[in-house]
Amino acid sequence: MTVGPELMQFRIEVSQQRVLHLIFDMPGRSMNVFSNAAIEELGLFADWLKQSDVAGVVIRSGKASAFCAGADLAELEAAYDMIMAAPSGERDRLAFDHFFRLSRGLRKLETAGKPVAVAIAGLALGGGCEFALAAHHRVIADHPQATFGLPESLVGLLPGGGGTQRLPRLIGIETALPVLLDGARIGGQAAIAAGLAHELVAPGEEVAAAERWVLSQPQAAQPWDRPDWRAADAEHVSRIIGQKRSKMLAETLGHYPALSAILDCVEQGLPQDFDSAIRTEMQIFAKLIQRREPRNMIRTLFLGRLDHERLKKKGASHKITEAVAAVSNVLGAQSERGKELAEAFARAGFRVEPPRKVEFDGRIAGTVYWLDDEPRTWGKELLRARLADAEAVAAGWRSQLDESERRAADYILVTQVGFPAYLGGLFAAGLS
């Protein structure tokens, strides 16, 4: 058996049964994520696999913590800056080429002509879940931590490694949408019942079970690559997506473009052949990644959460708490009694007390935020003025807080004060 390409983010081992194991084991990390380096190496491995004499592959994690927690979001934020620094006419192509590498690598893996099984003993989230979906056979341990999930929507993004296409093809649109839109996770017997996993085994037995499947000389093809295959609910996709879209817009008031983009991916991609569908998915992703909402949500809900947890452990959060209180007092979203302003706060997605029911006005997030969009109303004018006052207070604190403290302050502002996640906060960069 040939040894394989030289890899750093993965290890290659050969079992006693002469099955090749691709072990995801990033050096210096407690948890695997899909970094640029890992994506590059996956593509190299998939290219090598097609030409190799390997009978099959078992993919597993070298970490005790999880299989893979998703994308490297710090690198993703850097990619946003790189894309937006380019001339506007080049951004779509630049974003497509940069982010399609994972989808291309996974597609090469599942079409290499070799049976690929994955052994899941812990979390398989985001890109980790998409990695697992590209295997031909999925074995999952019967353990609460062993779950599949696609939580990209929670940071303003969509699964861009084929997740919006493989998942509904495997388990149906209705079952897939809570995972895609709400960040729901599926594990254990539910994963078997849904058709997401093929085997549920006792913890510690997942690798042996994956090997047994590879050694059974199975067919190395995905269902959607068979000539006669068609998604069971493809005929109803527009109706299902239309109903879900109406419900989602009524709940989110059109402020979260990732949710609409995910629905677009499913609606447009499911009737297509798979290679066309993943390109459609990436074309939609390339547009989405250029928006401010994912940048704001990654910075605040992911990086800000990490900063907040680290600073809290160090006992260095008093100054941050004081800064957030000062901004919150000026913002006054939860104490506002004026009807016009209170309604504008609620329509913009702020948490107000008492809770105020507002109807979706049909304005889906465009190139500008709702509060800056047409029609120009008195309520929006009042809201912008109040936000300007709060931002001025936040600006006064920025010189007293370092970058991580500003992100942590925004995390508190969003998660505890009720500032809308899509706006990101006021400390790290303001409403730019």
Side-chain angles (χ1 to χ4, degrees):
M1 181 184 292
T2 50
V3 177
E6 184 176 345
L7 307 174
M8 295 293 292
Q9 312 304 312
F10 298 85
R11 289 185 285 113
I12 293 178
E13 295 180 0
V14 180
S15 74
Q16 292 181 346
Q17 302 295 324
R18 305 298 294 167
V19 174
L20 186 144
H21 286 215
L22 179 67
I23 305 165
F24 200 174
D25 195 8
M26 298 182 75
R29 297 261 198 154
S30 61
M31 189 173 289
N32 294 320
V33 295
F34 261 118
S35 63
N36 291 326
I39 292 169
E40 185 72 21
E41 289 188 3
L42 177 62
L44 290 174
F45 176 80
D47 285 335
W48 169 84
L49 180 63
K50 187 169 186 176
Q51 307 301 323
S52 76
D53 60 356
V54 169
V57 178
V58 169
I59 300 169
R60 60 183 174 90
S61 174
K63 310 292 186 189
S65 56
F67 175 68
C68 174
D72 186 323
L73 291 182
E75 284 190 357
L76 201 147
E77 187 180 30
Y80 169 87
D81 292 336
M82 177 266 293
I83 292 163
M84 298 311 290
S88 59
E90 298 179 16
R91 291 173 188 166
D92 287 358
R93 178 194 56 79
L94 191 61
F96 187 103
D97 291 346
H98 181 81
F99 289 106
F100 195 58
R101 294 172 303 142
L102 175 59
S103 201
R104 184 184 294 115
L106 294 176
R107 187 65 176 142
K108 288 179 179 179
L109 182 71
E110 69 183 3
T111 58
K114 314 290 184 180
V116 178
V118 63
I120 303 296
L123 296 174
L125 302 179
C129 180
E130 292 176 301
F131 194 9
L133 294 177
H136 305 111
H137 191 77
R138 286 167 292 283
V139 182
I140 187 169
D142 192 4
H143 187 278
Q145 285 297 308
T147 54
F148 299 97
L150 293 168
E152 284 87 347
S153 67
L154 304 182
V155 289
L157 288 172
L158 64 86
T164 69
Q165 302 308 312
R166 289 187 180 90
L167 191 67
R169 281 168 168 78
L170 282 171
I171 67 176
I173 300 171
E174 297 277 13
T175 307
L177 287 179
V179 180
L180 292 167
L181 297 175
D182 307 326
R185 299 180 185 181
I186 304 179
Q189 191 58 47
I192 298 293
L196 186 51
H198 299 89
E199 294 185 68
L200 178 67
V201 299
E205 296 183 8
E206 61 279 350
V207 175
E211 275 204 7
R212 283 194 299 271
W213 180 83
V214 169
L215 291 168
S216 72
Q217 298 183 324
Q219 183 180 9
Q222 296 285 24
W224 44 84
D225 286 326
R226 297 168 189 157
D228 59 345
W229 186 87
R230 179 173 170 80
D233 41 15
E235 294 179 4
H236 309 292
V237 61
S238 293
R239 175 183 59 79
I240 296 170
I241 296 300
Q243 292 173 348
K244 190 65 178 181
R245 194 186 302 273
S246 296
K247 185 174 183 293
M248 177 273 294
L249 290 172
E251 292 172 350
T252 66
L253 305 174
H255 296 308
Y256 292 88
L259 304 179
S260 290
I262 288 168
L263 294 174
D264 289 342
C265 286
V266 177
E267 184 173 20
Q268 296 175 31
L270 201 63
Q272 296 178 318
D273 68 85
F274 196 80
D275 288 300
S276 298
I278 57 174
R279 295 189 70 84
T280 294
E281 176 189 79
M282 185 47 57
Q283 287 163 358
I284 294 171
F285 183 97
K287 293 286 189 184
L288 179 64
I289 193 64
Q290 297 176 51
R291 297 187 61 98
R292 292 175 291 176
E293 293 89 348
R295 177 206 63 179
N296 293 341
M297 294 172 74
I298 291 168
R299 180 182 293 160
T300 302
L301 296 179
F302 176 72
L303 299 176
R305 176 178 59 81
L306 296 179
D307 291 329
H308 173 64
E309 291 172 353
R310 178 178 54 81
L311 292 167
K312 192 174 181 180
K313 285 180 181 178
K314 291 172 60 177
S317 59
H318 176 73
K319 184 169 55 174
I320 297 171
T321 302
E322 188 178 346
V324 170
V327 169
S328 180
N329 288 338
V330 172
L331 194 61
Q334 296 190 39
S335 60
E336 180 54 48
R337 296 294 179 265
K339 181 175 183 294
E340 289 277 358
L341 182 53
E343 287 187 357
F345 267 126
R347 178 60 185 80
F350 287 79
R351 188 171 73 237
V352 297
E353 297 293 344
R356 181 181 291 266
K357 176 66 176 176
V358 291
E359 299 294 330
F360 174 52
D361 66 0
R363 305 294 297 185
I364 297 175
T367 55
V368 297
Y369 299 130
W370 172 86
L371 56 99
D372 295 319
D373 200 5
E374 298 295 338
R376 314 283 285 192
T377 66
W378 179 236
K380 289 180 181 180
E381 294 291 347
L382 294 172
L383 176 58
R384 282 195 296 272
R386 183 66 63 86
L387 285 171
D389 291 342
E391 189 165 8
V393 174
W397 279 92
R398 284 184 196 133
S399 61
Q400 303 177 52
L401 304 172
D402 63 25
E403 184 178 6
S404 64
E405 289 171 331
R406 292 194 291 271
R407 288 195 299 255
D410 281 335
Y411 174 75
I412 296 172
L413 198 62
V414 168
T415 59
Q416 298 180 24
V417 177
F419 200 92
Y422 74 92
L423 292 176
L426 294 172
F427 289 97
L431 296 179
S432 58

